[in-house]
Amino acid sequence: MCDSKYWKCFSTTTRNEMLDKTLQEISKNNTVFLKNNLFFKKITAQMIQSCQNHVPIVKSNTLNYIFYLTFKILEDSNYDSKILIEFCSTLLSVPGLFKILNENCQIGLNFAEKILKNSLCEKIFVNLVDYGSIRSFMQDTNDVNLMISFLGNMCSLCSIDFDCLKRNIEKFVVIYHQIFLNISHVITPEKVNLEKNQSIRWHPIFGYLKIKTCINNFEIFNQVLDQLRLLWSHKLISILFDIKYCVNEENLASSNNFKYFVKNFFDKAVNKKSNFLNTPEAVSVYRVCSFYRQFLFLINEPKIEILSALSIEEEFLLGLWAFVTNIGPLCGLKELVKILENGRDFSSHLIFDVFYLMCNLVLYSVTVLDENEFYVEQKVLKLNDYKQIGSFLNNLLYHVIANGLIELNSLDHDPYFTVFHQLLFSLYVKDCRRLFTDGPEFWTIKEIRIKIFMEDLEKETKKTLFILNKIPHVIPLRHRIEILKNKIEKDKQIFLGQECSSLKITIRRNRLVEDAFQNLSSLPSKMLKSPIRITFMNEFGLKEAGIDQDGVFKEFLQQTVQNLLNPEFNLFKLTSDQYLYPSPASYFVEEHLQMFQFLGKLIAKAVYESLVIDAEFAPFFLRQIAGYRSQFSYSFLDDLVTLDQELYKNLNFIKHDQNIDDLELNFTHSENHLGKLITHDLVPSGELIKVTNSNKIKYIHLMAHYKLHRQIKDQINAFNEGFKSIIKQDWINMFSVSEIQRLISGCLNDLDIEDLKKNVQYWGGLHSSHRLIKWLWEIVENDFTKEEKSLFLKFVTSSPKPPLMGFSTLNPPFTIRCVEIEEEEGTIYDSSLKGFFKTLMNIGGTNTSRLPTSSTCFNLLKLPNYSKKSTLKDKLRYAIKSNSGFELS
């Protein structure tokens, strides 16, 4: 139709020159007709509709004719600017079209040759950038999917005409930046509640979009993603650094050549000593980092794949690390602070783009490397490098907050601050799990004056609250615990007042959990924060003797929690390391989610009242109590080995296997549920996404996330709802996972005998100089093993661990009372004077048959007045190992 030489009604052998000219003119008129009748727009509309209907865009032969007519219109118009803009905003914006064209062209029309012969890339670059047509194009292509599709098709064209890309890299970057600037307003930075916001849609490239687009069938965008992979290829990185270093495309495609190129480039860059931040090499580094900084700002779904591609050759990250360490001591902290003092924003200097990209790459490495690769093999960076990065970020963020270098209101949404904060906490969490620094003191900021900080906190100054919320680890643990206790005391005053009535409930011992749940589970948090007085009923329906001075409640709380945590109850299970975590099969327990909520309230009540619970929780469970800070900086893969060693080994095999296609995996997980195979999507439409070498890292982390979070998220959410109804989220944000464990179950250190001796109370005539007491401390300190010391503490207090802040905080206080075999049991106070006189009368200590006993609800140890040290040692050792002699006082 548009080329007369293909018109069969006019034989080429019988044509003369005049006829040819006439036919060519008719052919040209046909082309003009197509152009004037919106050929590009109408064909594009049909293709977009095909995308929506989940059918192929067009058949292969039809594609060839469309391709031919397109070039005919462009050529006949002499690549007129208006026609070229229309072409860019229509056909060049169809998802994956030019990838499909390049793969399917047949009938003698060589697509790549046509692109090269007509210099199509060059003409587009000149038109959009040199002629300033980029704005007109953006107005015509006012849809996020069309814009990203245009960029994908441009990547396909540039892959064909790579020399053109090298010549026009600056123009390509201009187009790239403009596209991402335009789409930024429709991308939401994090996941939202899709049930509450129906306008949010998941996108395989952007993650979650705020608005609908003209294409809601997102499967086609896997083609676009393939096109975009040019953006994080070695070839493009090399061009972005500096074109004169690029010899040819074949050399750039070689991994060894790329390593050599990057290493030489950074070696040259870091050798510049004077005016380092303004050298040509520094400008090239800025260009690369700014390019990927904008990409990582907005692209959510392929982010891991991008970072994986950029990290695959260590020389790139190592070069960036060498570059930033060359700025000055502690990565040029003083220089950076000066820049922020003047600019008041991370975007005020391109050097922060370098830190942004480097921190993203380090964060990716920290997340991907397993324990052996990180601590033993020390792949990519050395442990000392991670220490330096941690120290730099710790000090930088502290100075930014404490000195008000950037407005605090903007930091929560600042992408630079977010990634710096994420990496800092990733390293901090890693160090809490297994030390690579000098210990907790490494993370504290020495220049903080605690007295002034506490005063500012009392005044609730903005920067002090921000420090406590964002980087609490800069404050020593003992002061954070003090802050928590102060917050709890204030909370008690607000909710309970000076004189508050206590809640009195009766509990049957043989129906402990049922009665506790019935009496307490539905109570509002305010009532649970008030004092609770417990009266126990024995198996005969009689009230047990005893006065609850917080001691009986302590016993009730500890026993109820222990029963609920018992794996036989099926709310919780044990890992191979004997850590507790929610059972995925807890739904077999009646009202199991209400039980989790109730248990969360009880454990929070224990923390609220400074009571310790003898329970060790799995770190991956506690991490999900800790809240958002630990979530975004943590790899579930690290803890998967404690739950499912077989799956951990399989995922590690996938991680290192280069022939992943042979496994035929997709982004789903199947499991047997009551004899029925249930398949879960790891991402939306996961069954359609094949696991490849480029996305396998994402796959293994999603699998670990499913096992450690998604399959128990309902239980975790219920527990959190109960726990945080008493202990507020911002309170718990002050502590790491290991510190939360200590808040719940007490100090992890060995028993401090001196601290215990300073804070013990004596009754029944005993005192610190009494021979029985001297023997006791000598036995515990010198004769007992570490295990026996823990058993001794558990025998008296019901917890094998000391209180977190020492025995001065134990409530009720640790008490030792002397008893006689014929003594009638009463309260501590009833028998104190009687015990004193009996001790004086029986100074020889004739009773040697009775074992020591305890009342854990009162933290009370009852010792007969033994006449020999050896007898005390034998009897006490027997008692603590058999746990015999429990009595209620």
PDB file of all heavy atoms in Angstrom, residues 605-633:
ATOM      1  N   LYS A 605       2.331  -7.512  81.144  1.00  0.00           N
ATOM      2  CA  LYS A 605       2.080  -7.198  82.553  1.00  0.00           C
ATOM      3  C   LYS A 605       3.306  -7.537  83.395  1.00  0.00           C
ATOM      4  O   LYS A 605       3.668  -6.790  84.316  1.00  0.00           O
ATOM      5  CB  LYS A 605       0.858  -7.972  83.037  1.00  0.00           C
ATOM      6  CG  LYS A 605       0.557  -7.855  84.527  1.00  0.00           C
ATOM      7  CD  LYS A 605       0.095  -6.467  84.931  1.00  0.00           C
ATOM      8  CE  LYS A 605      -0.376  -6.448  86.391  1.00  0.00           C
ATOM      9  NZ  LYS A 605      -0.743  -5.088  86.844  1.00  0.00           N
ATOM     10  N   ALA A 606       3.969  -8.632  83.075  1.00  0.00           N
ATOM     11  CA  ALA A 606       5.187  -9.004  83.802  1.00  0.00           C
ATOM     12  C   ALA A 606       6.262  -7.940  83.619  1.00  0.00           C
ATOM     13  O   ALA A 606       6.924  -7.531  84.585  1.00  0.00           O
ATOM     14  CB  ALA A 606       5.693 -10.364  83.313  1.00  0.00           C
ATOM     15  N   VAL A 607       6.454  -7.474  82.378  1.00  0.00           N
ATOM     16  CA  VAL A 607       7.435  -6.410  82.130  1.00  0.00           C
ATOM     17  C   VAL A 607       7.006  -5.136  82.844  1.00  0.00           C
ATOM     18  O   VAL A 607       7.838  -4.432  83.440  1.00  0.00           O
ATOM     19  CB  VAL A 607       7.577  -6.162  80.610  1.00  0.00           C
ATOM     20  CG1 VAL A 607       8.496  -4.972  80.340  1.00  0.00           C
ATOM     21  CG2 VAL A 607       8.104  -7.404  79.908  1.00  0.00           C
ATOM     22  N   TYR A 608       5.732  -4.839  82.814  1.00  0.00           N
ATOM     23  CA  TYR A 608       5.175  -3.635  83.439  1.00  0.00           C
ATOM     24  C   TYR A 608       5.438  -3.625  84.943  1.00  0.00           C
ATOM     25  O   TYR A 608       5.671  -2.570  85.531  1.00  0.00           O
ATOM     26  CB  TYR A 608       3.676  -3.598  83.156  1.00  0.00           C
ATOM     27  CG  TYR A 608       2.989  -2.272  83.378  1.00  0.00           C
ATOM     28  CD1 TYR A 608       3.090  -1.249  82.443  1.00  0.00           C
ATOM     29  CD2 TYR A 608       2.201  -2.054  84.512  1.00  0.00           C
ATOM     30  CE1 TYR A 608       2.431  -0.047  82.630  1.00  0.00           C
ATOM     31  CE2 TYR A 608       1.545  -0.850  84.713  1.00  0.00           C
ATOM     32  CZ  TYR A 608       1.661   0.156  83.762  1.00  0.00           C
ATOM     33  OH  TYR A 608       1.015   1.352  83.955  1.00  0.00           O
ATOM     34  N   GLU A 609       5.395  -4.811  85.551  1.00  0.00           N
ATOM     35  CA  GLU A 609       5.585  -4.926  87.007  1.00  0.00           C
ATOM     36  C   GLU A 609       7.000  -5.381  87.375  1.00  0.00           C
ATOM     37  O   GLU A 609       7.255  -5.719  88.531  1.00  0.00           O
ATOM     38  CB  GLU A 609       4.569  -5.903  87.592  1.00  0.00           C
ATOM     39  CG  GLU A 609       3.116  -5.550  87.341  1.00  0.00           C
ATOM     40  CD  GLU A 609       2.677  -4.273  88.046  1.00  0.00           C
ATOM     41  OE1 GLU A 609       3.450  -3.758  88.879  1.00  0.00           O
ATOM     42  OE2 GLU A 609       1.572  -3.780  87.741  1.00  0.00           O
ATOM     43  N   SER A 610       7.916  -5.421  86.404  1.00  0.00           N
ATOM     44  CA  SER A 610       9.311  -5.844  86.635  1.00  0.00           C
ATOM     45  C   SER A 610       9.407  -7.265  87.163  1.00  0.00           C
ATOM     46  O   SER A 610      10.269  -7.588  87.981  1.00  0.00           O
ATOM     47  CB  SER A 610      10.016  -4.875  87.608  1.00  0.00           C
ATOM     48  OG  SER A 610      10.077  -3.596  87.057  1.00  0.00           O
ATOM     49  N   LEU A 611       8.506  -8.128  86.700  1.00  0.00           N
ATOM     50  CA  LEU A 611       8.556  -9.544  87.040  1.00  0.00           C
ATOM     51  C   LEU A 611       9.217 -10.302  85.892  1.00  0.00           C
ATOM     52  O   LEU A 611       9.054  -9.939  84.725  1.00  0.00           O
ATOM     53  CB  LEU A 611       7.147 -10.098  87.280  1.00  0.00           C
ATOM     54  CG  LEU A 611       6.345  -9.432  88.394  1.00  0.00           C
ATOM     55  CD1 LEU A 611       4.926  -9.996  88.436  1.00  0.00           C
ATOM     56  CD2 LEU A 611       7.027  -9.626  89.745  1.00  0.00           C
ATOM     57  N   VAL A 612       9.982 -11.341  86.216  1.00  0.00           N
ATOM     58  CA  VAL A 612      10.678 -12.090  85.168  1.00  0.00           C
ATOM     59  C   VAL A 612       9.955 -13.400  84.890  1.00  0.00           C
ATOM     60  O   VAL A 612       9.380 -14.019  85.781  1.00  0.00           O
ATOM     61  CB  VAL A 612      12.149 -12.361  85.556  1.00  0.00           C
ATOM     62  CG1 VAL A 612      12.929 -11.075  85.590  1.00  0.00           C
ATOM     63  CG2 VAL A 612      12.249 -13.092  86.882  1.00  0.00           C
ATOM     64  N   ILE A 613       9.986 -13.801  83.627  1.00  0.00           N
ATOM     65  CA  ILE A 613       9.355 -15.032  83.156  1.00  0.00           C
ATOM     66  C   ILE A 613      10.455 -15.964  82.666  1.00  0.00           C
ATOM     67  O   ILE A 613      11.315 -15.554  81.885  1.00  0.00           O
ATOM     68  CB  ILE A 613       8.376 -14.760  81.995  1.00  0.00           C
ATOM     69  CG1 ILE A 613       7.282 -13.777  82.430  1.00  0.00           C
ATOM     70  CG2 ILE A 613       7.777 -16.045  81.474  1.00  0.00           C
ATOM     71  CD1 ILE A 613       6.354 -14.310  83.474  1.00  0.00           C
ATOM     72  N   ASP A 614      10.441 -17.191  83.112  1.00  0.00           N
ATOM     73  CA  ASP A 614      11.463 -18.161  82.696  1.00  0.00           C
ATOM     74  C   ASP A 614      11.082 -18.730  81.331  1.00  0.00           C
ATOM     75  O   ASP A 614      10.474 -19.799  81.222  1.00  0.00           O
ATOM     76  CB  ASP A 614      11.587 -19.276  83.738  1.00  0.00           C
ATOM     77  CG  ASP A 614      12.687 -20.274  83.384  1.00  0.00           C
ATOM     78  OD1 ASP A 614      13.549 -19.924  82.544  1.00  0.00           O
ATOM     79  OD2 ASP A 614      12.686 -21.384  83.943  1.00  0.00           O
ATOM     80  N   ALA A 615      11.413 -17.986  80.275  1.00  0.00           N
ATOM     81  CA  ALA A 615      11.086 -18.417  78.915  1.00  0.00           C
ATOM     82  C   ALA A 615      12.061 -17.778  77.939  1.00  0.00           C
ATOM     83  O   ALA A 615      12.346 -16.581  78.031  1.00  0.00           O
ATOM     84  CB  ALA A 615       9.652 -18.023  78.557  1.00  0.00           C
ATOM     85  N   GLU A 616      12.553 -18.574  77.004  1.00  0.00           N
ATOM     86  CA  GLU A 616      13.456 -18.085  75.963  1.00  0.00           C
ATOM     87  C   GLU A 616      12.715 -18.146  74.629  1.00  0.00           C
ATOM     88  O   GLU A 616      12.348 -19.222  74.164  1.00  0.00           O
ATOM     89  CB  GLU A 616      14.722 -18.958  75.894  1.00  0.00           C
ATOM     90  CG  GLU A 616      15.601 -18.854  77.128  1.00  0.00           C
ATOM     91  CD  GLU A 616      16.509 -17.636  77.103  1.00  0.00           C
ATOM     92  OE1 GLU A 616      16.547 -16.949  76.051  1.00  0.00           O
ATOM     93  OE2 GLU A 616      17.151 -17.364  78.115  1.00  0.00           O
ATOM     94  N   PHE A 617      12.502 -16.983  74.025  1.00  0.00           N
ATOM     95  CA  PHE A 617      11.773 -16.914  72.768  1.00  0.00           C
ATOM     96  C   PHE A 617      12.725 -16.892  71.577  1.00  0.00           C
ATOM     97  O   PHE A 617      13.848 -16.395  71.670  1.00  0.00           O
ATOM     98  CB  PHE A 617      10.881 -15.672  72.740  1.00  0.00           C
ATOM     99  CG  PHE A 617       9.738 -15.725  73.712  1.00  0.00           C
ATOM    100  CD1 PHE A 617       9.795 -15.040  74.916  1.00  0.00           C
ATOM    101  CD2 PHE A 617       8.610 -16.481  73.431  1.00  0.00           C
ATOM    102  CE1 PHE A 617       8.760 -15.088  75.820  1.00  0.00           C
ATOM    103  CE2 PHE A 617       7.550 -16.534  74.333  1.00  0.00           C
ATOM    104  CZ  PHE A 617       7.625 -15.838  75.527  1.00  0.00           C
ATOM    105  N   ALA A 618      12.255 -17.440  70.465  1.00  0.00           N
ATOM    106  CA  ALA A 618      13.051 -17.437  69.241  1.00  0.00           C
ATOM    107  C   ALA A 618      13.279 -15.990  68.798  1.00  0.00           C
ATOM    108  O   ALA A 618      12.353 -15.186  68.806  1.00  0.00           O
ATOM    109  CB  ALA A 618      12.335 -18.209  68.132  1.00  0.00           C
ATOM    110  N   PRO A 619      14.508 -15.650  68.396  1.00  0.00           N
ATOM    111  CA  PRO A 619      14.789 -14.274  67.973  1.00  0.00           C
ATOM    112  C   PRO A 619      13.882 -13.785  66.856  1.00  0.00           C
ATOM    113  O   PRO A 619      13.473 -12.629  66.844  1.00  0.00           O
ATOM    114  CB  PRO A 619      16.258 -14.347  67.514  1.00  0.00           C
ATOM    115  CG  PRO A 619      16.847 -15.480  68.290  1.00  0.00           C
ATOM    116  CD  PRO A 619      15.730 -16.475  68.429  1.00  0.00           C
ATOM    117  N   PHE A 620      13.529 -14.673  65.900  1.00  0.00           N
ATOM    118  CA  PHE A 620      12.677 -14.216  64.798  1.00  0.00           C
ATOM    119  C   PHE A 620      11.277 -13.849  65.283  1.00  0.00           C
ATOM    120  O   PHE A 620      10.587 -13.034  64.666  1.00  0.00           O
ATOM    121  CB  PHE A 620      12.611 -15.257  63.675  1.00  0.00           C
ATOM    122  CG  PHE A 620      11.910 -16.542  64.003  1.00  0.00           C
ATOM    123  CD1 PHE A 620      10.531 -16.643  63.948  1.00  0.00           C
ATOM    124  CD2 PHE A 620      12.630 -17.672  64.361  1.00  0.00           C
ATOM    125  CE1 PHE A 620       9.886 -17.836  64.242  1.00  0.00           C
ATOM    126  CE2 PHE A 620      12.003 -18.869  64.651  1.00  0.00           C
ATOM    127  CZ  PHE A 620      10.619 -18.952  64.597  1.00  0.00           C
ATOM    128  N   PHE A 621      10.839 -14.432  66.408  1.00  0.00           N
ATOM    129  CA  PHE A 621       9.555 -14.058  66.989  1.00  0.00           C
ATOM    130  C   PHE A 621       9.670 -12.725  67.725  1.00  0.00           C
ATOM    131  O   PHE A 621       8.852 -11.816  67.533  1.00  0.00           O
ATOM    132  CB  PHE A 621       9.072 -15.156  67.937  1.00  0.00           C
ATOM    133  CG  PHE A 621       7.874 -14.778  68.773  1.00  0.00           C
ATOM    134  CD1 PHE A 621       6.689 -14.391  68.171  1.00  0.00           C
ATOM    135  CD2 PHE A 621       7.946 -14.806  70.157  1.00  0.00           C
ATOM    136  CE1 PHE A 621       5.587 -14.044  68.938  1.00  0.00           C
ATOM    137  CE2 PHE A 621       6.847 -14.452  70.933  1.00  0.00           C
ATOM    138  CZ  PHE A 621       5.671 -14.065  70.318  1.00  0.00           C
ATOM    139  N   LEU A 622      10.709 -12.579  68.538  1.00  0.00           N
ATOM    140  CA  LEU A 622      10.908 -11.326  69.277  1.00  0.00           C
ATOM    141  C   LEU A 622      11.126 -10.150  68.333  1.00  0.00           C
ATOM    142  O   LEU A 622      10.730  -9.026  68.625  1.00  0.00           O
ATOM    143  CB  LEU A 622      12.108 -11.453  70.225  1.00  0.00           C
ATOM    144  CG  LEU A 622      11.925 -12.365  71.440  1.00  0.00           C
ATOM    145  CD1 LEU A 622      13.217 -12.437  72.239  1.00  0.00           C
ATOM    146  CD2 LEU A 622      10.787 -11.868  72.319  1.00  0.00           C
ATOM    147  N   ARG A 623      11.760 -10.427  67.197  1.00  0.00           N
ATOM    148  CA  ARG A 623      12.017  -9.370  66.230  1.00  0.00           C
ATOM    149  C   ARG A 623      10.712  -8.756  65.731  1.00  0.00           C
ATOM    150  O   ARG A 623      10.658  -7.582  65.365  1.00  0.00           O
ATOM    151  CB  ARG A 623      12.814  -9.945  65.054  1.00  0.00           C
ATOM    152  CG  ARG A 623      13.890  -9.022  64.523  1.00  0.00           C
ATOM    153  CD  ARG A 623      14.779  -9.728  63.544  1.00  0.00           C
ATOM    154  NE  ARG A 623      15.500 -10.840  64.119  1.00  0.00           N
ATOM    155  CZ  ARG A 623      16.577 -10.739  64.872  1.00  0.00           C
ATOM    156  NH1 ARG A 623      17.053  -9.553  65.149  1.00  0.00           N
ATOM    157  NH2 ARG A 623      17.175 -11.796  65.370  1.00  0.00           N
ATOM    158  N   GLN A 624       9.675  -9.557  65.711  1.00  0.00           N
ATOM    159  CA  GLN A 624       8.390  -9.079  65.223  1.00  0.00           C
ATOM    160  C   GLN A 624       7.571  -8.424  66.330  1.00  0.00           C
ATOM    161  O   GLN A 624       6.518  -7.846  66.062  1.00  0.00           O
ATOM    162  CB  GLN A 624       7.650 -10.241  64.561  1.00  0.00           C
ATOM    163  CG  GLN A 624       8.418 -10.720  63.335  1.00  0.00           C
ATOM    164  CD  GLN A 624       7.885 -12.006  62.756  1.00  0.00           C
ATOM    165  OE1 GLN A 624       6.891 -11.997  62.037  1.00  0.00           O
ATOM    166  NE2 GLN A 624       8.541 -13.131  63.050  1.00  0.00           N
ATOM    167  N   ILE A 625       8.065  -8.532  67.549  1.00  0.00           N
ATOM    168  CA  ILE A 625       7.523  -7.726  68.645  1.00  0.00           C
ATOM    169  C   ILE A 625       8.213  -6.370  68.661  1.00  0.00           C
ATOM    170  O   ILE A 625       7.614  -5.348  68.958  1.00  0.00           O
ATOM    171  CB  ILE A 625       7.728  -8.435  70.012  1.00  0.00           C
ATOM    172  CG1 ILE A 625       6.970  -9.763  70.037  1.00  0.00           C
ATOM    173  CG2 ILE A 625       7.282  -7.551  71.173  1.00  0.00           C
ATOM    174  CD1 ILE A 625       7.251 -10.589  71.277  1.00  0.00           C
ATOM    175  N   ALA A 626       9.509  -6.393  68.292  1.00  0.00           N
ATOM    176  CA  ALA A 626      10.314  -5.172  68.356  1.00  0.00           C
ATOM    177  C   ALA A 626       9.791  -4.095  67.427  1.00  0.00           C
ATOM    178  O   ALA A 626      10.030  -2.917  67.644  1.00  0.00           O
ATOM    179  CB  ALA A 626      11.779  -5.495  68.011  1.00  0.00           C
ATOM    180  N   GLY A 627       9.088  -4.459  66.361  1.00  0.00           N
ATOM    181  CA  GLY A 627       8.495  -3.446  65.507  1.00  0.00           C
ATOM    182  C   GLY A 627       9.263  -3.199  64.235  1.00  0.00           C
ATOM    183  O   GLY A 627      10.148  -3.956  63.846  1.00  0.00           O
ATOM    184  N   TYR A 628       8.957  -2.063  63.581  1.00  0.00           N
ATOM    185  CA  TYR A 628       9.423  -1.804  62.219  1.00  0.00           C
ATOM    186  C   TYR A 628      10.942  -1.699  62.120  1.00  0.00           C
ATOM    187  O   TYR A 628      11.532  -2.064  61.113  1.00  0.00           O
ATOM    188  CB  TYR A 628       8.794  -0.505  61.706  1.00  0.00           C
ATOM    189  CG  TYR A 628       9.412   0.750  62.283  1.00  0.00           C
ATOM    190  CD1 TYR A 628      10.399   1.434  61.593  1.00  0.00           C
ATOM    191  CD2 TYR A 628       9.014   1.243  63.525  1.00  0.00           C
ATOM    192  CE1 TYR A 628      10.960   2.575  62.119  1.00  0.00           C
ATOM    193  CE2 TYR A 628       9.568   2.371  64.052  1.00  0.00           C
ATOM    194  CZ  TYR A 628      10.546   3.050  63.342  1.00  0.00           C
ATOM    195  OH  TYR A 628      11.116   4.168  63.870  1.00  0.00           O
ATOM    196  N   ARG A 629      11.625  -1.173  63.142  1.00  0.00           N
ATOM    197  CA  ARG A 629      13.074  -0.945  63.007  1.00  0.00           C
ATOM    198  C   ARG A 629      13.807  -2.245  62.760  1.00  0.00           C
ATOM    199  O   ARG A 629      14.706  -2.318  61.929  1.00  0.00           O
ATOM    200  CB  ARG A 629      13.625  -0.267  64.257  1.00  0.00           C
ATOM    201  CG  ARG A 629      13.200   1.160  64.400  1.00  0.00           C
ATOM    202  CD  ARG A 629      13.923   1.837  65.539  1.00  0.00           C
ATOM    203  NE  ARG A 629      13.670   1.192  66.813  1.00  0.00           N
ATOM    204  CZ  ARG A 629      14.481   0.338  67.395  1.00  0.00           C
ATOM    205  NH1 ARG A 629      15.604  -0.002  66.825  1.00  0.00           N
ATOM    206  NH2 ARG A 629      14.180  -0.197  68.551  1.00  0.00           N
ATOM    207  N   SER A 630      13.427  -3.296  63.478  1.00  0.00           N
ATOM    208  CA  SER A 630      14.122  -4.559  63.292  1.00  0.00           C
ATOM    209  C   SER A 630      13.661  -5.275  62.033  1.00  0.00           C
ATOM    210  O   SER A 630      14.405  -6.045  61.454  1.00  0.00           O
ATOM    211  CB  SER A 630      13.895  -5.459  64.516  1.00  0.00           C
ATOM    212  OG  SER A 630      14.506  -4.887  65.639  1.00  0.00           O
ATOM    213  N   GLN A 631      12.418  -4.987  61.587  1.00  0.00           N
ATOM    214  CA  GLN A 631      11.918  -5.673  60.398  1.00  0.00           C
ATOM    215  C   GLN A 631      12.677  -5.288  59.148  1.00  0.00           C
ATOM    216  O   GLN A 631      13.075  -6.120  58.367  1.00  0.00           O
ATOM    217  CB  GLN A 631      10.435  -5.338  60.197  1.00  0.00           C
ATOM    218  CG  GLN A 631       9.530  -6.083  61.149  1.00  0.00           C
ATOM    219  CD  GLN A 631       9.589  -7.576  60.944  1.00  0.00           C
ATOM    220  OE1 GLN A 631       9.330  -8.062  59.873  1.00  0.00           O
ATOM    221  NE2 GLN A 631       9.969  -8.306  61.959  1.00  0.00           N
ATOM    222  N   PHE A 632      12.862  -3.973  58.945  1.00  0.00           N
ATOM    223  CA  PHE A 632      13.437  -3.590  57.666  1.00  0.00           C
ATOM    224  C   PHE A 632      14.935  -3.819  57.593  1.00  0.00           C
ATOM    225  O   PHE A 632      15.551  -3.653  56.555  1.00  0.00           O
ATOM    226  CB  PHE A 632      13.092  -2.148  57.304  1.00  0.00           C
ATOM    227  CG  PHE A 632      13.657  -1.067  58.215  1.00  0.00           C
ATOM    228  CD1 PHE A 632      14.985  -1.016  58.592  1.00  0.00           C
ATOM    229  CD2 PHE A 632      12.814  -0.068  58.658  1.00  0.00           C
ATOM    230  CE1 PHE A 632      15.479  -0.020  59.395  1.00  0.00           C
ATOM    231  CE2 PHE A 632      13.302   0.944  59.466  1.00  0.00           C
ATOM    232  CZ  PHE A 632      14.624   0.971  59.841  1.00  0.00           C
ATOM    233  N   SER A 633      15.550  -4.182  58.678  1.00  0.00           N
ATOM    234  CA  SER A 633      17.004  -4.329  58.663  1.00  0.00           C
ATOM    235  C   SER A 633      17.432  -5.768  58.936  1.00  0.00           C
ATOM    236  O   SER A 633      18.547  -6.019  59.332  1.00  0.00           O
ATOM    237  CB  SER A 633      17.609  -3.415  59.734  1.00  0.00           C
ATOM    238  OG  SER A 633      17.045  -3.697  61.001  1.00  0.00           O
TER     239      SER A 633
END
